Amino acid sequence: MSYGSQYRREAAPLSGTSAVVLAGTANPTLKQLEDFARYTYAAVGFFFGSEPPELTLPIPDYRTMDGARPGDPSPDLLDTVYLCQQRQDWYVTYARSVGAEALSFVGALSVQDDIVQAAEAIRQLLGLDLPVRRQLATWEEALRQFIQLADDAGILVMVSGVVGSNNMRTLDTEEFRGFALSDPIAPLVFVNGADTKSAQMFTLAHELAHLWLGQSALSDSTVAKVSNDGIEKWCNRVAAEVLIPLEQFKLDYRRSVDIGQEMQRLARMFKVSTLVVLRRMFDAGGLGRERFWELYRAEVARLIAIMRSKRNKKDSDGNYYNTTTSRVSKRFTRAIVVSALEGRSAFTEAFRLLGCKKMSTFTKLGHRVGIDVGGGSV
């Protein structure tokens, strides 16, 4: 199999030169290889080896597909992990230069710790108030609050549905939902923003559990994911308990009401996905295993249909500055803007890591996170 064929699913529709490269029927010119490399997001040098390069993730991979490990990571996934690592490395250097100390919660727990106590420790440190979250009107508000609390605790939370700032490279939720990059000074969580807001809530909670274990990890976290790995099981259970404490759920769960209506009501109340609610219904003894899986599969199919329909519509947010600070995190944005203004970092480096190209954009991003850069406001 040629190296190019590994990327067939990633590339735009190919014809002419690229089709010849894939078929292996001719020796391409350097210009043709460069064109093909752009299609597949691969380095030109890879094509000069005698064997295809082995594509490996730089962090532990806890994903499973039907009980087995997935295949090679896509260029989109690899580039996203590499970019987040670059941002994290930059932030570690910056934080040390301003005297930042290690965060005590990173690695503070182990999989031997009690689930309820572990979840309570995470909620207490973040200041995650469940009654307050119930009063929020939408899942979007709840997610923003959750992200802000993690940011305030010193965690870089990056949420994006594309690679970097390239809107043509959409991330696939079927490949991964998030990952954690553990570091005592700059712990980082990436959440796949192509997922639903309610699903992002669970992904964030799951990846935070990995940070409390002090472990980097790539996950396809869902509340009912079947995993033989003890770490993933523990993180899933902690994430569910962080978002919906089981004892509180039992008090609010009305078993006599229609399951569909109750599932929607509790999802709105706790600002989580209906899948998390179904799992909690099972945990509370309201559903048998067979009935749980029947309802779970039906709900997954319904949510997938909704997500696919939304992908065909234009993103309604449209605010570049909100989108960018979400993609790179407010904490990171503040740090790199200040560093560039103080002369610690080059503006070219700041532009690259922020994904912007103009000084005016940089200035407005600074205003967005409360930094007086000069010039007008957004």
Side-chain angles (χ1 to χ4, degrees):
M1 178 179 69
S2 68
Y3 173 70
S5 65
Q6 296 182 54
Y7 286 83
R8 190 186 299 270
R9 71 182 188 278
E10 313 303 336
L14 303 179
S15 61
T17 297
S18 296
V20 168
V21 174
L22 281 174
T25 57
N27 292 321
T29 65
L30 179 59
K31 178 63 168 62
Q32 289 171 332
L33 279 178
E34 290 174 341
D35 290 341
F36 183 69
R38 279 194 294 273
Y39 273 120
T40 58
Y41 308 113
V44 175
F46 286 171
F47 299 109
F48 291 92
S50 58
E51 295 291 335
E54 184 178 351
L55 302 178
T56 58
L57 285 158
I59 58 177
D61 185 358
Y62 290 103
R63 299 171 301 154
T64 57
M65 303 293 181
D66 297 323
R69 292 297 183 192
D72 288 341
S74 70
D76 291 342
L77 170 54
L78 285 171
D79 287 350
T80 299
V81 174
Y82 294 149
L83 179 56
C84 287
Q85 287 182 320
Q86 291 170 23
R87 289 170 176 160
Q88 184 184 52
D89 288 345
W90 180 91
Y91 190 87
V92 168
T93 301
Y94 168 79
R96 286 174 174 163
S97 72
V98 296
E101 297 181 354
L103 300 168
S104 61
F105 63 83
V106 178
L109 298 176
S110 75
V111 292
Q112 283 74 44
D113 287 323
D114 177 76
I115 298 297
V116 174
Q117 293 178 2
E120 180 61 22
I122 294 174
R123 279 198 304 269
Q124 283 191 0
L125 188 134
L126 295 180
L128 189 61
D129 191 315
L130 296 180
V132 170
R133 194 172 80 214
R134 286 189 181 199
Q135 301 305 313
L136 299 176
T138 65
W139 279 267
E140 287 80 1
E141 288 182 32
L143 180 61
R144 281 197 296 270
Q145 181 209 53
F146 198 5
I147 292 171
Q148 186 60 56
L149 291 173
D151 184 277
D152 292 342
I155 301 167
L156 302 170
V157 181
M158 303 181 182
V159 182
S160 180
V162 301
V163 180
S165 56
N166 187 343
N167 292 327
M168 300 301 292
R169 298 180 65 183
T170 304
L171 299 175
D172 185 0
T173 55
E174 294 184 11
E175 181 176 27
F176 81 107
R177 285 184 164 81
F179 56 80
L181 301 179
S182 182
D183 183 272
I185 291 179
L188 184 151
V189 166
F190 181 89
V191 176
N192 189 337
D195 218 340
T196 63
K197 299 300 181 184
S198 56
Q200 290 176 41
M201 290 281 290
F202 186 82
T203 297
L204 177 53
H206 178 98
E207 302 307 336
L208 288 175
H210 275 292
L211 293 183
W212 256 258
L213 291 177
Q215 296 181 341
S216 298
L218 175 70
S219 308
D220 55 351
S221 52
T222 57
V223 69
K225 195 71 180 182
V226 177
S227 174
N228 294 323
D229 187 273
I231 292 175
E232 281 298 275
K233 286 181 179 178
W234 189 89
C235 289
N236 271 348
R237 293 178 63 194
V238 168
E241 184 67 23
V242 165
L243 297 174
I244 311 183
L246 185 57
E247 293 307 312
Q248 180 61 52
F249 181 82
K250 289 177 179 179
L251 295 175
D252 295 312
Y253 178 20
R254 302 179 305 188
R255 302 191 185 205
S256 60
V257 178
D258 174 77
I259 289 179
Q261 294 178 5
E262 185 66 355
M263 178 175 64
Q264 295 293 338
R265 185 185 75 87
L266 291 170
R268 288 192 298 270
M269 176 186 290
F270 287 101
K271 303 300 183 298
V272 297
S273 76
T274 48
L275 298 178
V276 177
V277 171
L278 276 175
R279 176 66 200 205
R280 275 330 213 182
M281 287 179 170
F282 172 76
D283 293 338
L287 296 174
R289 185 173 297 276
E290 185 174 338
R291 180 62 171 154
F292 164 72
W293 282 113
E294 176 188 350
L295 292 169
Y296 188 89
R297 293 187 184 100
E299 187 63 10
V300 167
R302 187 184 74 85
L303 293 174
I304 288 175
I306 292 173
M307 286 182 62
R308 286 175 176 169
S309 67
K310 287 183 177 179
R311 286 172 186 167
N312 295 326
K313 299 178 182 179
K314 187 176 180 180
D315 188 354
S316 60
D317 187 331
N319 188 306
Y320 169 83
Y321 302 99
N322 286 341
T323 300
T324 298
T325 54
S326 175
R327 286 174 175 174
V328 303
S329 87
K330 289 183 179 179
R331 175 170 288 273
F332 181 85
T333 303
R334 285 192 297 269
I336 201 163
V337 168
V338 168
S339 181
L341 291 174
E342 292 178 346
R344 295 171 181 262
S345 300
F347 280 99
T348 52
E349 181 181 36
F351 287 6
R352 179 180 65 83
L353 292 174
L354 287 172
C356 66
K357 298 178 180 180
K358 300 178 180 178
M359 188 64 193
S360 59
T361 304
F362 176 85
T363 299
K364 290 178 180 179
L365 281 171
H367 280 295
R368 179 65 64 176
V369 294
I371 305 299
D372 184 10
V373 184
S377 60
V378 179

